[in-house]
Amino acid sequence: MTAATHSPLFPRVPETADAVLDGLDPEQREVATALHGPVCVLAGAGTGKTRAITHRIAYGVRAGVLPPASVLAVTFTNRAAGEMRGRLRQLGAGGVQARTFHSAALRQLQFFWPKAIGGPLPRLVERKVQLVAEAAARCRVRLDRNELRDVTSEIEWAKVTQTVPADYPAAVARSRRDAPRDPAEIGQLYAMYEQLKGERSVIDFEDVLLLTVGILQDRLDIAEQIRRQYQHFVVDEYQDVSPLQQRLLELWLGERDSLCVVGDASQTIYSFTGATPDHLLDFRTRHPHATVVKLVRDYRSTPQVVHLANGLLDQAAGRAADHRLELVSQRERGPEPVYTEYGDEPAEAEGTARRVRDLIAAGVPAGEIAVLYRINAQSEVYEQALADAGVPYQLRGAERFFERQEVREAGAALRGAARFGANDSLLDGAEDLPAQVRAVLSGHGWSSRPPAGSGAVRDRWESLAALARLADDFAAAHPGATLSDLVAELDERAAAQHAPTVQGVTLASLHAAKGLEWDAVFLVGLTDGMLPITYAKTDEQVEEERRLLYVGVTRARVHLALSWSLSRSPGGRAHRVPSRFLKGLRPGSGGPAAGAGASGGSVERGGSGRAGEGARRRPRGPVRCRVCGTTLTEAGAMKLLRCEDCPSDMDEGLYERLRDWRAGRARLLGQPAYCVFTDKTLMAIAERVPASGGELVVIAGVGARKLDRFGADVLAICAGEDPDGEGAATAEDV
């Protein structure tokens, strides 16, 4: 049976309609040949749903049952629509319209507006946040940039749920939605926003759907014209439709039932935008004679990964859980998922980076590895750890931590406060470094308690809170450190992470990972309070968090690692507990592991994993400064084996020669300099001046692989000789 993924790049167009069906499994073939009446495809992760529905359309077109111009396939992203059009062309079904809901509605609106309303279609506002800002000004409500984004999101939610401004407060209470501001105030801003749009004769993204719905409801002649054009509909990711999109779909259909929907209620993770799986789950109620096909053959993941995914859903509750699909892996057995408990967040990040490095050394391409977390603010520690390990990475769906607007603004404010010192009134009463940092950050949106909700304001707070925690750790590692010292540390970290984007390990939030897949996936930070997130309070919100973890698990093809840390920082109180979603699944957590046919994986303690041939694990006891004997906790200091402010015996000339050599090697490899060695590793080499491979390999950041690739050059430079360049590394070697 042909797998659902990894199809040839340029497949031959099937010669006949029956040839379109070649390679489909029995259930996919059922989908492809069900060309009449309503069809509901319940498709689990990795089961080839896009393959099934594109072959259905192509088979119908090639068999003469579905005229290509009469078919409208809709999905939710331009990328998905483009992929669908490409597959249809490869199957000989060109001419079929595959669009997003908004794209299809906009084309119809542009065509029928002069006939229905008269005159040209009003201009479409690309960024409604500016109008929301004007509405706030008129209402004399002060909103910062992140509050503007959150209020804008609330207006979008209200519109896709067909809620008018006057009804917004009641709708929020009814849905138990956690609004970012007083609902009555948001309702007032919403009303003023709509008034401003009318004054400016402009429409927004949601109006495209609302106005199309309005015209089709009021003008039967236009509705019939569209229905004559489009007679067959296919809807992908049907679990994500909003009430407004469902209403538009019903108007497109009229009294007909030539509809095929595809979805998986267990992958509903966007309810905060108005998406609901109810339309998918109620399909049989609305269409009692519908053909229902379940796709459960998973071609993406190994039995071990699928076993864990099924176990997660076995513990789920609620309506979506009642319709869960039990996946059956079609792949050969692979490694068990690995569960790892770490003492603190830096140890978790460093341990993850080591495992990533080991996978790359074993032949897994860096681009086929992902580290997934719940919120973007978690990325910084993993960016740092991967950089220290010499592993290239790329962020998806978020800026690098030190490139975020709020982090740049906070850095500038801290720099200014450090410059003015005691003359800065912000620092009045702030006696130690953490207090000084919090005093500065409080002017940029940080407070001791997180804000309500889960929008941009919360994201901003999480970033600033990460800076505050970093200040705590820095102060603990450097007693007596000043604000200027911290600013220098931040600058060094930012500089190390501002390398050009390269093809590497993906860092992404779980939401941003939807629809993607990798050979190896690391799910990190899996503690209660992070997954489920603290602000998930209702049963349904908690269940959506479980579905988010399910989406993360099902991104993995072969290797899957799940980890958590007991405390935030080294030496901190171990008060955290693993995510409740892992109970009964990870060994030793109580209860039988759900599912059958596989063990529950293995549990390791942080630091127990192999760090690579020849590499040395960090000692289990305290790491002490080799100059003053102080216990070291900061990663950079541990690399140097001394406090940052202790006297250095570094050979400056040697350090500069190493930097020059590194720059040349990085250019040759087409990689950022830190992928060869980080600055801290070069400093450690220049301080210890190793004379042999054994002395070089034990320096943190070197290890066996880099000793093999670069050891001869480095030892030659340390001996005062010119490296001969023999055996120069290639990009694949790093």
Side-chain angles (χ1 to χ4, degrees):
M1 203 66 66
T2 303
T5 57
H6 307 300
S7 61
L9 188 59
F10 298 108
R12 177 181 299 176
V13 175
E15 294 181 359
T16 65
D18 287 342
V20 171
L21 304 178
D22 290 346
L24 299 182
D25 69 30
E27 293 78 26
Q28 292 170 345
R29 184 178 286 256
E30 284 288 333
V31 174
T33 55
L35 300 178
H36 302 285
V39 178
C40 179
V41 183
L42 302 176
T47 58
K49 67 178 179 63
T50 304
R51 177 182 177 83
I53 59 175
T54 52
H55 280 68
R56 177 184 185 270
I57 296 171
Y59 178 70
V61 169
R62 300 289 298 275
V65 178
L66 305 177
S70 73
V71 180
L72 177 60
V74 289
T75 186
F76 285 83
T77 66
N78 289 322
R79 180 184 64 82
E83 179 185 356
M84 192 177 293
R85 288 193 295 270
R87 292 198 189 197
L88 288 170
R89 282 195 302 271
Q90 293 170 355
L91 293 170
V96 173
Q97 292 292 313
R99 296 184 174 276
T100 65
F101 270 101
H102 283 86
S103 173
L106 182 58
R107 289 191 74 194
Q108 295 171 16
L109 196 60
Q110 290 169 331
F111 185 81
F112 290 108
W113 184 270
K115 179 179 179 179
I117 309 299
L121 180 69
R123 180 174 60 87
L124 183 63
V125 175
E126 294 183 1
R127 295 186 70 252
K128 62 173 69 72
V129 70
Q130 295 170 340
L131 270 181
V132 176
E134 290 188 45
R138 281 204 186 182
C139 295
R140 297 185 178 181
V141 174
R142 186 167 183 171
L143 301 175
D144 66 23
R145 181 172 49 88
N146 289 281
E147 289 172 323
L148 276 172
R149 286 172 56 194
D150 285 345
V151 170
T152 300
S153 296
E154 286 301 295
I155 291 174
E156 291 171 350
W157 174 83
K159 298 185 77 165
V160 300
T161 56
Q162 300 175 283
T163 302
V164 299
D167 294 341
Y168 172 79
V172 168
R174 189 167 53 251
S175 65
R176 302 178 73 180
R177 187 175 178 84
D178 198 358
R181 292 179 73 92
D182 177 60
E185 185 179 68
I186 293 179
Q188 179 189 15
L189 294 172
Y190 178 15
M192 181 57 68
Y193 167 78
E194 292 295 319
Q195 179 181 323
L196 279 172
K197 284 200 295 126
E199 293 175 4
R200 307 282 172 80
S201 296
V202 296
I203 60 174
D204 62 25
F205 202 55
E206 289 69 42
D207 288 333
V208 171
L209 300 184
L210 284 164
L211 291 170
T212 306
V213 165
I215 289 175
L216 296 182
Q217 288 179 157
D218 295 343
R219 293 290 299 266
L220 182 60
D221 58 331
I222 293 176
E224 287 301 325
Q225 187 174 344
I226 290 177
R227 290 166 191 163
R228 285 194 298 271
Q229 169 69 45
Y230 296 116
Q231 300 172 23
H232 309 280
F233 295 86
V234 177
V235 184
D236 193 12
E237 302 286 3
Y238 193 54
Q239 78 278 355
D240 288 334
V241 295
S242 69
L244 180 56
Q245 290 164 331
Q246 175 64 23
R247 180 58 184 147
L248 177 59
L249 179 62
E250 291 167 355
L251 289 165
W252 281 340
L253 276 166
E255 298 300 319
R256 300 164 303 171
D257 62 2
S258 185
L259 170 67
C260 174
V261 301
V262 188
D264 179 9
S266 297
Q267 296 189 69
T268 305
I269 58 173
Y270 293 108
S271 65
F272 58 90
T273 66
T276 170
D278 290 345
H279 306 301
L280 176 66
L281 299 178
D282 291 338
F283 194 84
R284 281 293 292 270
T285 302
R286 296 195 310 276
H287 304 280
H289 303 296
T291 298
V292 178
V293 182
K294 295 182 179 181
L295 302 183
V296 297
R297 299 175 194 253
D298 188 319
Y299 296 97
R300 175 188 299 159
S301 304
T302 63
Q304 287 72 19
V305 173
V306 167
H307 170 69
L308 176 55
N310 287 336
L312 272 173
L313 294 190
D314 282 346
Q315 300 183 4
R319 191 166 182 231
D322 292 339
H323 295 78
R324 63 186 177 272
L325 299 169
E326 186 85 7
L327 299 177
V328 181
S329 176
Q330 305 300 296
R331 298 193 57 167
E332 294 181 358
R333 292 183 60 83
E336 296 289 348
V338 176
Y339 302 82
T340 310
E341 180 177 281
Y342 293 92
D344 53 72
E345 285 182 10
E348 183 177 8
E350 291 170 12
T352 300
R354 285 197 302 271
R355 291 180 180 274
V356 166
R357 191 175 60 192
D358 288 348
L359 281 177
I360 295 173
V364 180
E368 288 294 346
I369 302 174
V371 178
L372 307 181
Y373 35 75
R374 176 61 179 84
I375 59 174
N376 287 325
Q378 292 173 271
S379 75
E380 190 273 335
V381 68
Y382 291 94
E383 294 176 50
Q384 184 71 41
L386 289 172
D388 285 345
V391 176
Y393 63 87
Q394 56 185 338
L395 272 80
R396 182 179 180 88
E399 299 168 295
R400 294 172 185 264
F401 182 81
F402 286 102
E403 292 174 4
R404 294 173 194 163
Q405 182 69 23
E406 62 267 25
V407 175
R408 291 202 305 266
E409 291 173 353
L414 290 169
R415 196 170 291 107
R419 186 179 304 117
F420 291 107
N423 296 322
D424 193 329
S425 59
L426 272 175
L427 304 183
D428 290 348
E431 296 182 357
D432 58 11
L433 177 58
Q436 291 172 353
V437 170
R438 282 166 170 75
V440 174
L441 296 181
S442 64
H444 291 265
W446 179 86
S447 61
S448 58
R449 299 184 64 180
S454 58
V457 172
R458 177 68 183 234
D459 290 344
R460 178 186 179 89
W461 183 89
E462 293 284 1
S463 294
L464 297 178
L467 285 176
R469 293 194 297 268
L470 193 150
D472 293 340
D473 296 342
F474 187 75
H478 305 281
T482 66
L483 200 52
S484 296
D485 297 329
L486 176 63
V487 167
E489 171 71 11
L490 294 178
D491 287 344
E492 181 178 331
R493 288 180 177 230
Q497 296 177 29
H498 277 179
T501 300
V502 294
Q503 178 65 24
V505 174
T506 297
L507 293 175
S509 70
L510 288 165
H511 281 103
K514 178 74 164 64
L516 303 174
E517 59 186 78
W518 295 270
D519 285 342
V521 169
F522 292 79
L523 301 175
V524 298
L526 302 182
T527 60
D528 259 14
M530 188 56 73
L531 199 73
I533 199 77
T534 304
Y535 47 75
K537 296 181 174 63
T538 68
D539 290 343
E540 179 48 40
Q541 288 170 340
V542 170
E543 285 305 314
E544 183 152 331
E545 294 286 300
R546 187 193 305 275
R547 295 195 293 270
L548 194 56
L549 179 57
Y550 174 79
V551 166
V553 168
T554 55
R555 299 311 94 193
R557 298 191 192 109
V558 181
H559 304 278
L560 179 63
L562 306 94
S563 64
W564 59 92
S565 55
L566 299 179
S567 67
R568 181 182 59 78
S569 57
R573 184 168 63 90
H575 66 284
R576 294 175 172 176
V577 296
S579 170
R580 69 191 73 170
F581 301 145
L582 300 180
K583 188 172 183 181
L585 298 175
R586 60 185 180 88
S589 61
S599 68
S602 60
V603 174
E604 298 182 4
R605 300 298 173 187
S608 63
R610 187 175 60 86
E613 292 298 332
R616 299 294 180 262
R617 301 189 191 111
R618 182 171 296 167
R620 291 186 179 274
V623 180
R624 301 190 183 279
C625 172
R626 56 190 170 84
V627 179
C628 69
T630 300
T631 299
L632 302 175
T633 58
E634 199 271 329
M638 289 180 174
K639 241 180 200 183
L640 297 174
L641 291 180
R642 65 169 176 80
C643 302
E644 301 271 2
D645 51 0
C646 276
S648 170
D649 52 0
M650 182 176 71
D651 183 330
E652 296 285 352
L654 173 57
Y655 178 66
E656 291 304 321
R657 292 196 300 276
L658 287 168
R659 282 175 59 88
D660 291 343
W661 165 83
R662 180 185 66 175
R665 275 287 175 268
R667 283 194 300 271
L668 176 66
L669 298 169
Q671 299 272 16
Y674 68 76
C675 289
V676 179
F677 287 119
T678 63
D679 286 347
K680 284 282 172 40
T681 299
L682 291 187
M683 290 175 65
I685 293 171
E687 287 186 355
R688 287 184 245 178
V689 195
S692 67
E695 293 177 4
L696 177 59
V697 73
V698 296
I699 296 176
V702 179
R705 290 183 62 248
K706 290 194 176 181
L707 177 67
D708 291 342
R709 304 310 190 254
F710 307 121
D713 283 3
V714 171
L715 291 173
I717 295 170
C718 289
E721 303 168 358
D722 291 329
D724 58 20
E726 291 182 4
T730 64
E732 290 76 14
D733 289 330
V734 178

